[in-house]
Amino acid sequence: MKKLINCPDDVVSEMLMGIEKAHPELIYHREVEVISRREKTVNKVGIVSGGGSGHEPAHAGYVGYGMLDAAVSGNVFASPSPDRIIKGIQEANTGQGVLLIIKNYSGDIMNFEMAKDIAEMDGIEVEVVVVRDDVAVEDSSYSAGRRGIAGTVFVHKVAGAKAQMGGSLQEVKAAAEKAIEHVNSMGLAMSPCILPGVGTPGFVLGDDDVEIGMGIHGEPGVFHTNVKTAKEFSEILIDKILEDYDYSDSEVAVMVNGLGSTPLMELYIMYNDVEAFLKEKNIKVYKSFVGNFMTALEMGGCSISLMKLDDELKELLDYEADTPGFKVR
Amino acid sequence: MKKLINCPDDVVSEMLMGIEKAHPELIYHREVEVISRREKTVNKVGIVSGGGSGHEPAHAGYVGYGMLDAAVSGNVFASPSPDRIIKGIQEANTGQGVLLIIKNYSGDIMNFEMAKDIAEMDGIEVEVVVVRDDVAVEDSSYSAGRRGIAGTVFVHKVAGAKAQMGGSLQEVKAAAEKAIEHVNSMGLAMSPCILPGVGTPGFVLGDDDVEIGMGIHGEPGVFHTNVKTAKEFSEILIDKILEDYDYSDSEVAVMVNGLGSTPLMELYIMYNDVEAFLKEKNIKVYKSFVGNFMTALEMGGCSISLMKLDDELKELLDYEADTPGFKVR
C-alpha cells in the first residue's frame, strides 16, 4: 500500500495534529478527535458537523469564521462515537444552542442523536438537520433514504453564515433546512480508494468502466458505463438531478467536487460543460465552486451539486468565511 | 485512459474556459491561452507567470488580487510560445512595467526571454526572475541548473504582494529575488501521471517503489527506495534541503504540496512530521501551507518547500490575496 502515513491506526489523530499545527486558529482535542475554533464568538449559535474521516477537507477543514465551530472525526469512513460528538457540542456551545449538521448515514444519525440527547440533559439546546442530497439511490448500504454527500458543504456555509450574522438557533436551523431542501447532488467514480486499515482497493472497476452514482464510501451506484466524454458525463449527472428537482428558470450555486485523485484540470473541463448544459436548460449559475470539497481518500471521479438560490441563500453564500478549506473574502 | 475530458487536444482551452466561467473576475483570452484579471489596478507593476499546463492550480489559479495579473498556459507539460507570453505581458502592463516569474526549464526560459525582448521593443519595461528551488538535481532533462517547482508559488505571493502594495518594478523584482534566494524544495513520487495526449503512464514505479527527487514532469530524481513512513520520508526530503541551505535558528514558511492524487489526509500527516522534524532542527515555522499548489496531473506524492523569512517576507506573505487557488484574508 502506497500511502504517506506512519501507521494505519494513527491516520486520523496524526492528520488532526497536522491540521492543528498548520492552522493555529484551530484546536485539536486529543482522544476525542474534535477540531474546534480557538477563539469562540460568544453568544453565537454553535455549528457542529462531522462523520467518518477520509473526506478531507470535510469536515475539520471547514471549522473557522463563518462556517463550523467544531468538527468531530470518526475513524476512516466510520461514524464518530457519541462521546466525541458531545465534546464537539460542548466546544461549540457559547450559550445560544448548537446546530448539528449530519450527513444521512445510519451510524451518524444514531450517534449524533444520542449525543444530542445527552447534551440536552446537560442543559445545552441542540437542534439537528440531516443532509440527503445524493439523488443516486433511495436507500443505500449505510443509509435509510438518500445519502449525504458534497452538497453538505453548502449547508455548512449557509448555516455558518446565518450563525455568524447573529441568527437564533431556530433561524440558523431554518436556513440550513432551506439549503437542504434546495440542494441535490450526483456523482460518478472512475477509480477506487484504499482504506489505510485494509490496504487494498474497496472495489474494482475495469479499464473502461465508470460507476454512475457511487457513494463516497464506495457504496454501489446506479449503473456501470464505459468511459464517456466530460460533456456526456456532465449531462448524465445533471439530467439525473433534474429528474428529481426542477431548477429551471432559477439561479443556482454549483459545485463540481473532486473525489480525491481527479486533476483540477479535469474538474474545470467538467465545469465548462456543466455550465453550458445548465444554460441550455435555462438554469443560471450565480456562483460556482470547483475543487476537492468532499473527497473519498484517493477515489477518482467527481460529483455535481446544485443549490437553488433565493436572496437569503445568496447573502449567506456570499458572507465572509475563513476556514482552511473554504474562504470567502 | 480514464479522464474527465472531451478531446486530448482541447484540454487546455476547455480548462481555461471553465476557469473563466467559474471565476468571473478573470478573463480567458482565447487562442493565446492567457488568463488575466478583468479589473486592472492602474499604475501597478504587472506580474506574469506561466508554463506548461497540468500543474493546476498553477498558474491560472494564482491570477487575482495580490498575486499574478496574467498567467500564460502552454500545452500539457510544454512551454507556451512567445506570442502567448507577449499577450500576457500586454494584459499585465498598466504603465509601471512587468515582472516575469519563470520556473527554470529551458523551453520556458527561451520563450519568456524572447517575449521580453519583443515587448521591450514595444516600449514595455520587462524584468525576469527565474525560480530554481528544486534541490534534487543540479541539471535535469529539461533544465540547465535546478528545476523550478512548488516554491514558485511563494515567489508569486511575495512579488504579487509587493506589486499590490505599490512597489516599483525594481522593488518587486528585488522582493522576488529575495524569495527565490531563500526558498528550496524537494519532492517524491509514488505513482505516475498520464498525459491526455499520450494515454499511458509517463513512467513506471513498482508496487513498493518510490522515487525521491522526481520532477513535476516525471523527470528522473535522485534514487528509488521502498515505501517508508511519512516520518521517514519527511526527514529524507528535509535533510536533502538542509544539506543545501542552512535554515537553522530561522523562521520559515513551509509548503507541503500534493502532486495531484495524494489525499489531503496524507499531506496533513506529512506536515505533522515535517513540523516536528523542523523543531528538532531548531527551525521555527511561521506559516504553513498544506494542499495541492503545484501538481503534476494525477501524480502521487508530494514536495516540501521551505522559505526563510525576514520581516519583509513575512509582511508580503501575510498580505491579502484573493485568487482561485490561494486566498489570504
Side-chain angles (χ1 to χ4, degrees):
Chain A
M1 173 177 57
K2 280 189 173 178
K3 285 190 181 285
L4 292 169
I5 65 172
N6 291 300
C7 167
D9 289 344
D10 300 332
V11 293
V12 173
S13 59
E14 291 185 4
M15 167 184 76
L16 296 176
M17 280 194 267
I19 288 176
E20 182 189 54
K21 287 177 178 178
H23 307 286
E25 68 278 15
L26 304 180
I27 306 184
Y28 168 40
H29 303 274
R30 282 152 180 78
E31 311 300 330
V32 288
E33 315 305 353
V34 169
I35 291 279
S36 71
R37 290 165 71 171
R38 198 170 287 277
E39 274 184 41
K40 300 183 187 186
T41 311
V42 289
N43 280 322
K44 187 187 81 66
V45 169
I47 313 277
V48 175
S49 189
S53 293
H55 305 301
E56 293 65 34
H59 299 85
Y62 300 129
V63 177
Y65 185 88
M67 286 182 84
L68 306 181
D69 296 284
V72 188
S73 299
N75 293 336
V76 178
F77 293 178
S79 297
S81 56
D83 61 309
R84 295 184 182 186
I85 302 165
I86 291 165
K87 177 66 176 174
I89 294 171
Q90 289 166 343
E91 286 300 318
N93 178 49
T94 58
Q96 298 299 313
V98 174
L99 178 70
L100 306 183
I101 300 173
I102 318 176
K103 300 196 301 308
N104 187 36
Y105 297 100
S106 308
D108 285 343
I109 300 280
M110 191 175 70
N111 292 349
F112 276 83
E113 290 281 0
M114 199 180 297
K116 170 189 191 296
D117 292 346
I118 296 169
E120 282 178 335
M121 285 189 279
D122 287 344
I124 303 177
E125 203 183 345
V126 180
E127 290 283 357
V128 167
V129 295
V130 180
V131 188
R132 302 179 167 87
D133 57 319
D134 188 351
V135 301
V137 291
E138 286 307 319
D139 293 288
S140 178
S141 329
Y142 309 122
S143 72
R146 292 180 171 181
R147 302 173 296 219
I149 57 171
T152 307
V153 180
F154 283 147
V155 182
H156 293 163
K157 178 70 187 76
V158 162
K162 191 75 184 179
Q164 200 71 60
M165 289 161 80
S168 69
L169 180 56
Q170 288 313 317
E171 288 167 340
V172 172
K173 183 183 180 187
E177 293 283 18
K178 190 195 268 186
I180 290 169
E181 191 186 330
H182 296 299
V183 69
N184 292 285
S185 304
M186 180 77 190
L188 63 82
M190 303 187 94
S191 61
C193 58
I194 296 171
L195 272 75
V198 177
T200 50
F203 54 91
V204 177
L205 281 171
D207 281 350
D208 190 36
D209 224 11
V210 172
E211 180 145 339
I212 304 293
M214 177 164 276
I216 55 173
H217 312 94
E219 307 96 306
V222 190
F223 62 94
H224 277 230
T225 180
N226 58 334
V227 176
K228 298 182 188 302
T229 64
K231 182 169 187 291
E232 288 167 320
F233 278 137
S234 62
E235 295 181 5
I236 289 171
L237 298 184
I238 292 171
D239 273 336
K240 177 77 178 156
I241 293 174
L242 298 185
E243 265 177 32
D244 195 73
Y245 185 102
D246 185 11
Y247 285 96
S248 52
D249 303 313
S250 59
E251 281 187 275
V252 295
V254 183
M255 179 174 284
V256 175
N257 171 59
L259 294 180
S261 65
T262 298
L264 190 54
M265 168 182 272
E266 297 177 29
L267 300 179
Y268 276 117
I269 290 171
M270 280 293 288
Y271 181 65
N272 183 47
D273 289 314
V274 164
E275 193 268 357
F277 191 59
L278 291 175
K279 192 177 273 176
E280 246 181 79
K281 298 276 177 184
N282 228 2
I283 299 167
K284 190 172 171 238
V285 177
Y286 175 74
K287 210 158 196 175
S288 62
F289 302 87
V290 180
N292 291 341
F293 294 96
M294 178 76 72
T295 61
L297 298 168
E298 67 278 82
M299 198 184 285
C302 72
S303 64
I304 297 173
S305 301
L306 300 182
M307 179 168 70
K308 182 175 176 173
L309 301 174
D310 63 6
D311 288 343
E312 185 193 17
L313 289 177
K314 283 184 194 173
E315 185 190 5
L316 295 170
L317 202 59
D318 291 342
Y319 192 81
E320 210 176 353
D322 192 11
T323 75
F326 201 108
K327 286 183 167 58
V328 177
R329 188 173 154 263
Chain B
M1 174 176 56
K2 280 189 174 179
K3 284 190 181 289
L4 292 169
I5 65 173
N6 292 299
C7 167
D9 290 344
D10 300 332
V11 292
V12 173
S13 59
E14 292 185 2
M15 166 184 76
L16 296 176
M17 280 193 266
I19 289 177
E20 183 189 51
K21 287 176 179 179
H23 307 287
E25 67 280 13
L26 304 180
I27 305 185
Y28 167 40
H29 303 274
R30 282 152 180 77
E31 310 300 331
V32 289
E33 316 304 355
V34 168
I35 290 278
S36 71
R37 288 165 71 171
R38 199 171 285 278
E39 274 185 41
K40 299 183 187 189
T41 311
V42 289
N43 282 320
K44 188 188 80 69
V45 169
I47 314 277
V48 175
S49 191
S53 293
H55 305 301
E56 291 67 31
H59 299 85
Y62 299 129
V63 177
Y65 185 89
M67 287 183 85
L68 307 181
D69 296 285
V72 188
S73 298
N75 294 336
V76 178
F77 293 179
S79 296
S81 56
D83 61 308
R84 295 184 181 185
I85 302 165
I86 291 165
K87 177 66 176 174
I89 294 172
Q90 288 166 344
E91 287 299 319
N93 178 48
T94 59
Q96 298 300 311
V98 173
L99 179 70
L100 306 182
I101 300 173
I102 318 176
K103 300 195 303 307
N104 187 38
Y105 297 100
S106 307
D108 285 343
I109 300 280
M110 192 175 69
N111 292 349
F112 276 82
E113 288 282 0
M114 199 180 295
K116 170 188 192 293
D117 292 346
I118 296 170
E120 282 179 334
M121 287 189 279
D122 287 343
I124 304 177
E125 203 182 345
V126 180
E127 291 283 357
V128 167
V129 296
V130 180
V131 187
R132 302 178 167 90
D133 57 318
D134 187 352
V135 302
V137 291
E138 286 308 320
D139 294 288
S140 177
S141 328
Y142 309 121
S143 73
R146 292 180 174 182
R147 303 175 294 219
I149 56 171
T152 308
V153 180
F154 283 147
V155 183
H156 293 163
K157 178 70 188 76
V158 163
K162 192 75 184 180
Q164 201 70 59
M165 289 161 80
S168 68
L169 180 56
Q170 289 311 318
E171 288 168 341
V172 172
K173 184 183 179 185
E177 292 284 18
K178 190 194 268 188
I180 289 170
E181 191 187 330
H182 296 301
V183 69
N184 292 285
S185 304
M186 180 75 190
L188 64 83
M190 303 187 96
S191 61
C193 57
I194 296 172
L195 272 74
V198 178
T200 51
F203 56 89
V204 177
L205 281 172
D207 281 351
D208 190 37
D209 224 11
V210 173
E211 180 145 340
I212 305 292
M214 177 162 278
I216 54 173
H217 312 95
E219 309 98 303
V222 190
F223 63 93
H224 277 229
T225 180
N226 58 334
V227 176
K228 299 183 187 302
T229 64
K231 182 169 187 291
E232 288 167 321
F233 278 137
S234 63
E235 295 182 4
I236 288 170
L237 298 183
I238 292 172
D239 273 336
K240 178 77 178 156
I241 294 175
L242 297 185
E243 265 177 32
D244 194 75
Y245 185 103
D246 185 9
Y247 285 96
S248 53
D249 301 313
S250 60
E251 280 186 277
V252 295
V254 183
M255 179 175 282
V256 174
N257 170 59
L259 294 179
S261 64
T262 297
L264 189 55
M265 169 182 271
E266 297 178 29
L267 300 179
Y268 276 117
I269 290 171
M270 278 294 287
Y271 180 66
N272 183 47
D273 289 314
V274 164
E275 193 266 358
F277 192 57
L278 291 175
K279 192 177 270 175
E280 243 182 82
K281 298 277 177 182
N282 227 3
I283 300 167
K284 191 174 172 239
V285 178
Y286 176 73
K287 211 160 194 171
S288 62
F289 301 87
V290 179
N292 290 343
F293 294 97
M294 178 76 75
T295 61
L297 297 169
E298 68 278 81
M299 196 183 285
C302 72
S303 64
I304 297 173
S305 301
L306 300 182
M307 180 168 70
K308 183 176 175 171
L309 301 173
D310 62 6
D311 288 344
E312 186 194 17
L313 289 177
K314 282 184 196 173
E315 187 190 4
L316 295 170
L317 203 59
D318 291 342
Y319 193 80
E320 210 176 351
D322 192 12
T323 75
F326 201 108
K327 285 182 170 59
V328 178
R329 187 169 156 271

